[in-house]
Amino acid sequence: MLSDRASWGLKAAAIGGLLFLHLPILLIFLYAFTTDERTYQFPPPGLTTQWFAVAWNRADIWPPLYLSLKVAVISTAMALVLGTLCAAAMARASFFGRDQISLLIILPIALPGIITGMSLRSAFAIMEIPFSTWTIVLGHATFCIVIVYNNAVARFRRLSGSIIEASLDLGANGFQTFRHVLLPNLGSAMLAGGMLAFALSFDEVIVTTFTAGQQSTLPIWMLNELVRPRQRPVTNVVAIAVFVTTFVPILIAFYLTRGGSETAGGGK
Amino acid sequence: MGTPARSRTLLMTNAVEFLSVSRLFGTVRAVDGVDLSIKAGSFFAMLGPSGSGKTTCLRLISGFERPTGGTIRIFGQDVGRVPPNLRNVNTVFQDYALFPHMNVRDNVAYGLMVKGVDRRTRHAKAEEMLALVKLDSYGDRKPAQLSGGQRQRVALARALVNEPQVLLLDEPLGALDLKLREAMQDELKALQQRLGITFVFVTHDQSEALSMADTVAVFNNGKIAQIGSPADVYARPRTRFVADFVGSSNVLDPAMTRALGGPEVTASLRPEALRLVPAAGATLCGTVTGLRYLGPSVRVTVQMPFGVLGVMVPAGSPCPEPGSSVCIDLAPDALHVMEDE
Amino acid sequence: MTRPAILAPRGPGDRVSALFWRHPRLFTALLLAPPLIWLGVVYLGSLAALLLQSFYSIDEFSGLINREFTLATYAELFRPQNMDIIIRTLTMAAMVTLGAAVIGFPIAYYAARYARGHWKAMFYLGIMLPLWSSYLVKVYAWKLILAKEGILNWAVDSIGASFILSGILALPVVGGNSLSTSYIGTWMVFLYIWLPYMILPMQASLERVPTSMLEASSDLGATQFQTFRTVILPLALPGVIAGSIFTFSLTMGDYIVPQIIGNSARMIGQAVYQLQGTAGNIPLAAAFAVVPILIMLVYLTIARRKGAFDAL
């Protein structure tokens, strides 16, 4: 007989695996309170909350934070428009080149980030485009499109196709149908896609290092601190800020799409 | 509504006309050169198996499909360039297609809202329609909180509030259980008679089509196999397909028709036109091979020397055992000659 | 008659909608145009630029890019030190994939077969949240863990197991001075970061194994182990392959983890990054970046044949 209950070994391995996935993050929180700023000594010799104030007053943190927020907001907005348009077109009846188009949308996340980054870098070099906020946005919006697209297309699939026809049938034109029927049903999926795109853009570092030049986003600032640490607990405070800034939108996205399959397997 | 003059003009007008209409999907001829006219104020059923083109015809009327060839007229006007939202035709969808994010009242009032009717008027109208379908107190509920039958009524009210010239119903009773379906059949018929609106009804259920419609069009392979009154289609099927699909006729090949005393042609023979008779004096005898109880009657399968026949015997009357010999008799006009397909 | 059969258009909205209705392809084309122009120009254009750059070369004296077609840059990839980088990267990607499959399987199996209700939701979130949460923060966490004075060494010392750790670090090639400067350390961090990408497709393919099939197997007399080996594993394989696409590709393209945790030996990602940046040799960087593309194309072709895309 096949038992309906897992063996202790399997259970332990599964729970152990989950702990392996989650415990390391907690250390980030712990080290933000340590009194030791030169090493990563464990257990911490003492606890203090001073680093939050120190981080707040560090002038070199704010410009990267603003840049990251700016890039994430612009990229998300562009991805929302482009990804939703694409999903709407793909939800319609089949047309020539459909499979090729879906491959093209997936490609920016299917290939490693370094390829997207290096490709953009090559293009900037050939066309002699100077680095700016917009060169960063170009890269981020490209891989954010697929996140929004995945969410929107899954929702289109779940919507009863005939509600759009029902709206037209009842006398609404295309624009009224979009406003009164499509948008209310698509809205939460778009919001979820936007949240995930924001989170992804906000902490993206690999593509960004190729498209930023001398500019510094918050993840690039963190990366520099990792390579050449100064006040280590300050880096932890920033890491917590980055973690929370991405974690909250992700949780909201899950809440918005629960019961659906939008975000499942939607790898970055 | 209801003056003799108006009724007369209505009866003389065609609500919908198809002039050699075709609709191709790739190379598939979903609708293949259909000519059709639906009288204003009638209850018209499109009957056929799935894939026969009946639903595509309905979608051509509503405007969700555009004809590949031919002309469609609604009340005399060519609608070739008229999108669905500008056709005064409404649909009750097979899955009802209620808007999940709106309550029942807003669903019903939707058509009025997009036409710019003010909130109070459209809500009053919606309540009126909900009363018509006996859902007076359900306005605040969401579609998800309704049963299948209730959703069906909301879909009906939502379509009717627009006072359409033609109401299209796409298998609207398909998702309901038998009891509810029968009740809704009666209600729909009564509603249609009361409102005088042209109803075009798509179904694959022949008893539903026969019991409700004034006119039935039987579809097969994108073409109309037969069009006529229910009695006509039932009693005088034009082709083998119609005889097979509508009811449970015996379809006789020429040799069998000959054996039963008719000319040597393909014919149909209704099982209820046959009677079991005592062996004395009878010439047509065979062996009972099966019995099927159908409630009010029993269908007896008889193996005759020239083929198999189905005979309908009223329940309660004496019924032969399987394996026993029986003889049959038929009325002289029971054989109906059919065209070759 | 109460109302006409055909209504007049009431404004520009109706007219534009009617135009789209009469020309549905025009509408689809209009919807697709902005995203396709974006992806076509920005993304495909960049990929083309990457290819183009890889056929340029660098002038050794001036350090300027020589915009003439040449295969010399690709030839440079075959120098021993560059081949080392490629082989090292592929080995690491393969090891990470293997490790992720082994560690991920029990989690995926438990979540798919046994977890119910709240537990199921917990497992789902428990896998999805680490997948989505900040990459850099996760890498940083491991810098803290693997530091010499950090929690791992402390824990190992506390339970008196430091001789085991020293033994592991004494291993040739994969060992090193400490975990944070060894291949083992790099491998562990990669494993941690990409593990959720392996679990999710595996779980998806395991969910599709109907319980009745397992019952049928045991009904036919298979032991639990036989059922596992002959029914569950083959059915989970497409999920493993799908997951491996992620773990392999992501490891291959990463340059941050080996830069922060590991010894000084470089991987493809680091080579690309350094060549385009400090070295200013964009053509060679581009040629290096083409390597993962080619490998992934081969990998995807094989995966497609094994039916891995159904599990995505």
Side-chain angles (χ1 to χ4, degrees):
Chain A
M1 267 309 288
L2 203 67
S3 69
D4 275 342
R5 304 195 58 173
S7 67
W8 279 105
L10 177 65
K11 213 172 194 170
I15 291 172
L18 272 191
L19 288 179
F20 171 65
L21 282 176
H22 288 267
L23 286 184
I25 299 286
L26 293 181
L27 274 186
I28 296 280
F29 285 81
L30 176 66
Y31 275 104
F33 297 96
T34 182
T35 49
D36 168 23
E37 68 170 281
R38 300 203 185 283
T39 68
Y40 296 119
Q41 190 189 339
F42 190 90
L47 295 175
T48 170
T49 54
Q50 62 161 323
W51 301 114
F52 288 84
V54 173
W56 185 268
N57 291 319
R58 280 265 294 263
D60 60 325
I61 293 173
W62 292 102
L65 174 64
Y66 287 139
L67 182 62
S68 281
L69 284 174
K70 187 170 151 195
V71 167
V73 167
I74 299 173
S75 306
T76 302
M78 294 176 85
L80 270 176
V81 173
L82 297 174
T84 309
L85 281 176
C86 219
M90 299 294 271
R92 290 166 63 84
S94 59
F95 51 86
F96 178 74
R98 205 187 143 94
D99 291 347
Q100 286 77 359
I101 291 171
S102 75
L103 181 69
L104 176 61
I105 300 163
I106 308 280
L107 212 55
I109 55 160
L111 292 176
I114 196 153
I115 291 171
T116 310
M118 190 58 218
S119 297
L120 288 165
R121 174 82 175 84
S122 303
F124 298 155
I126 286 178
M127 304 208 288
E128 289 169 4
I129 298 171
F131 293 112
S132 69
T133 308
W134 294 100
T135 53
I136 306 178
V137 167
L138 228 46
H140 283 209
T142 303
F143 60 70
C144 285
I145 290 175
V146 60
I147 308 292
V148 175
Y149 169 81
N150 273 349
N151 276 265
V153 95
R155 182 63 60 90
F156 268 118
R157 231 176 268 146
R158 208 151 55 110
L159 275 183
S160 154
S162 47
I163 65 166
I164 290 167
E165 288 187 348
S167 169
L168 298 173
D169 187 77
L170 293 166
N173 65 37
F175 300 92
Q176 290 170 315
T177 301
F178 178 77
R179 193 180 135 213
H180 297 300
V181 175
L182 207 47
L183 206 55
N185 283 296
L186 203 58
S188 64
M190 284 174 67
L191 189 58
M195 289 284 169
L196 292 175
F198 178 89
L200 189 56
S201 166
F202 188 77
D203 86 0
E204 212 292 328
V205 65
I206 292 188
V207 176
T208 318
T209 47
F210 289 90
T211 56
Q214 298 303 309
Q215 306 166 87
S216 190
T217 62
L218 203 57
I220 291 183
W221 180 90
M222 259 185 78
L223 183 60
N224 289 332
E225 293 294 313
L226 285 187
V227 179
R228 283 175 293 278
R230 281 185 291 169
Q231 286 172 305
R232 295 177 189 224
V234 170
T235 314
N236 279 79
V237 172
V238 173
I240 290 174
V242 170
F243 184 77
V244 172
T245 312
T246 55
F247 193 77
V248 171
I250 292 163
L251 270 188
I252 295 173
F254 280 123
Y255 177 77
L256 289 171
T257 55
R258 70 196 188 285
S261 59
E262 279 94 342
T263 41
K268 294 199 201 180
Chain B
M1 197 181 291
T3 66
R6 184 167 184 278
S7 303
R8 208 158 33 237
T9 35
L10 261 180
L11 277 173
M12 286 162 64
T13 322
N14 281 327
V16 179
E17 283 170 282
F18 275 35
L19 304 173
S20 56
V21 170
S22 296
R23 177 67 171 102
L24 276 66
F25 294 107
T27 55
V28 180
R29 293 178 168 273
V31 175
D32 190 3
V34 165
D35 283 292
L36 171 75
S37 46
I38 299 173
K39 285 211 168 54
S42 68
F43 198 128
F44 191 93
M46 294 179 171
L47 174 65
S50 61
S52 61
K54 57 190 192 313
T55 299
T56 309
C57 273
L58 199 77
R59 293 170 62 78
L60 284 163
I61 302 173
S62 56
F64 300 131
E65 300 289 350
R66 302 189 67 205
T68 319
T71 308
I72 298 171
R73 294 206 189 109
I74 296 177
F75 282 91
Q77 282 178 278
D78 185 346
V79 292
R81 292 173 62 78
V82 182
N85 57 317
L86 299 180
R87 299 183 186 194
N88 200 5
V89 167
N90 290 113
T91 308
V92 176
F93 290 84
Q94 185 168 16
D95 63 352
Y96 315 136
L98 299 180
F99 305 124
H101 59 292
M102 294 181 187
N103 66 23
V104 166
R105 186 181 303 107
D106 287 335
N107 258 286
V108 176
Y110 185 83
L112 301 174
M113 178 190 74
V114 296
K115 290 185 192 78
V117 175
D118 70 90
R119 191 186 189 80
R120 186 180 303 176
T121 315
R122 65 177 193 251
H123 277 179
K125 278 281 230 180
E127 289 296 347
E128 214 176 282
M129 277 299 144
L130 284 172
L132 185 73
V133 297
K134 301 182 190 121
L135 283 175
D136 314 59
S137 55
Y138 286 76
D140 291 319
R141 298 211 191 170
K142 283 282 176 73
Q145 297 167 296
L146 301 180
S147 70
Q150 290 167 334
R151 281 181 216 178
Q152 211 262 332
R153 287 156 191 266
V154 175
L156 192 61
R158 184 178 70 171
L160 288 173
V161 78
N162 303 290
E163 300 174 21
Q165 291 285 5
V166 181
L167 184 73
L168 309 174
L169 303 107
D170 185 5
E171 305 245 4
L173 308 180
L176 305 181
D177 58 52
L178 184 65
K179 200 101 186 158
L180 201 53
R181 194 154 69 218
E182 283 173 352
M184 278 309 289
Q185 285 176 5
D186 292 343
E187 263 184 67
L188 274 179
K189 183 72 189 162
L191 200 61
Q192 192 267 337
Q193 278 166 350
R194 195 166 129 207
L195 299 173
I197 295 174
T198 313
F199 276 31
V200 181
F201 190 98
V202 159
T203 181
H204 64 266
D205 180 338
Q206 47 96 10
S207 72
E208 200 165 277
L210 296 179
S211 67
M212 292 167 78
D214 305 325
T215 311
V216 177
V218 185
F219 279 75
N220 185 30
N221 287 331
K223 295 186 168 136
I224 294 181
Q226 184 168 5
I227 189 162
S229 71
D232 211 36
V233 172
Y234 184 77
R236 285 178 288 283
R238 233 183 45 166
T239 65
R240 174 183 273 264
F241 171 80
V242 178
D244 268 341
F245 192 74
V246 181
S248 42
S249 277
N250 295 299
V251 176
L252 311 174
D253 58 34
M256 285 173 77
T257 316
R258 188 68 190 257
L260 286 167
E264 197 163 334
V265 289
T266 308
S268 75
L269 178 60
R270 291 283 154 201
E272 59 272 27
L274 291 167
R275 278 183 308 126
L276 295 180
V277 291
T283 49
L284 298 166
C285 296
T287 315
V288 175
T289 54
L291 294 174
R292 235 167 81 209
Y293 293 92
L294 301 170
S297 55
V298 181
R299 190 187 162 98
V300 182
T301 313
V302 183
Q303 177 70 55
M304 305 295 284
F306 48 84
V308 177
L309 286 178
V311 179
M312 211 66 94
V313 177
S317 60
C319 198
E321 292 289 315
S324 61
S325 302
V326 289
C327 295
I328 58 165
D329 183 24
L330 70 161
D333 59 348
L335 284 170
H336 169 68
V337 175
M338 294 192 296
E339 290 170 20
D340 287 324
E341 273 166 281
Chain C
M1 298 217 178
T2 43
R3 293 167 64 94
I6 307 297
L7 313 173
R10 285 153 307 181
D14 280 2
R15 289 202 179 82
V16 174
S17 300
L19 181 73
F20 287 149
W21 176 78
R22 286 196 283 272
H23 305 282
R25 276 164 195 222
L26 172 74
F27 184 55
T28 308
L30 277 179
L31 285 177
L32 273 177
L36 283 194
I37 289 172
W38 180 279
L39 288 171
V41 172
V42 175
Y43 193 68
L44 291 185
S46 300
L47 278 176
L50 177 80
L51 272 181
L52 192 62
Q53 285 279 10
S54 68
F55 289 111
Y56 291 163
S57 59
I58 196 118
D59 188 297
E60 281 181 36
F61 300 105
S62 63
L64 292 174
I65 293 169
N66 180 9
R67 296 194 176 190
E68 268 173 44
F69 179 87
T70 174
L71 287 172
T73 310
Y74 277 106
E76 275 191 61
L77 287 182
F78 291 97
R79 283 187 191 170
Q81 77 264 34
N82 289 340
M83 281 311 283
D84 273 357
I85 291 178
I86 294 171
I87 289 166
R88 184 180 303 124
T89 308
L90 292 185
T91 313
M92 179 60 81
M95 288 298 128
V96 170
T97 300
L98 197 68
V102 170
I103 295 187
F105 193 85
I107 307 179
Y109 187 63
Y110 188 88
R113 274 275 286 137
Y114 297 105
R116 292 281 168 271
H118 275 297
W119 270 102
K120 187 135 196 141
M122 282 274 293
F123 260 91
Y124 180 70
L125 267 187
I127 299 161
M128 286 305 277
L129 286 178
L131 187 146
W132 280 95
S133 61
S134 173
Y135 164 83
L136 210 50
V137 171
K138 286 184 286 191
V139 178
Y140 184 40
W142 279 87
K143 194 174 166 77
L144 304 181
I145 293 170
L146 296 180
K148 233 184 169 64
E149 68 281 6
I151 185 168
L152 193 73
N153 278 319
W154 172 81
V156 166
D157 282 343
S158 313
I159 58 169
S162 41
F163 67 95
I164 298 178
L165 185 60
S166 319
I168 293 172
L169 285 174
L171 290 172
V173 186
V174 297
N177 278 335
S178 70
L179 277 176
S180 62
T181 57
S182 67
Y183 282 128
I184 296 182
T186 319
W187 177 79
M188 280 173 74
V189 180
F190 271 135
L191 189 59
Y192 169 77
I193 290 179
W194 308 135
L195 184 58
Y197 291 86
M198 177 62 93
I199 298 175
L200 279 176
M202 266 200 300
Q203 188 188 338
S205 63
L206 282 171
E207 302 250 355
R208 268 182 250 146
V209 181
T211 318
S212 58
M213 199 184 281
L214 307 183
E215 281 163 0
S217 171
S218 68
D219 195 52
L220 295 170
T223 64
Q224 270 204 44
F225 179 72
Q226 282 172 323
T227 303
F228 182 81
R229 204 172 56 89
T230 57
V231 179
I232 297 172
L233 266 191
L235 288 169
L237 195 64
V240 177
I241 296 176
S244 76
I245 295 172
F246 289 109
T247 53
F248 199 86
S249 150
L250 290 166
T251 307
M252 205 164 44
D254 196 286
Y255 75 91
I256 291 187
V257 170
Q259 185 187 350
I260 290 171
I261 313 281
N263 53 26
S264 52
R266 290 184 303 167
M267 290 185 37
I268 291 180
Q270 286 162 289
V272 173
Y273 183 66
Q274 286 164 8
L275 284 168
Q276 63 85 37
T278 44
N281 191 345
I282 291 183
L284 186 55
F288 253 119
V290 172
V291 174
I293 300 182
L294 294 179
I295 292 169
M296 281 324 289
L297 283 180
V298 175
Y299 205 119
L300 289 173
T301 317
I302 297 170
R304 179 179 230 141
R305 257 184 234 150
K306 302 265 175 196
F309 291 110
D310 307 333
L312 284 177

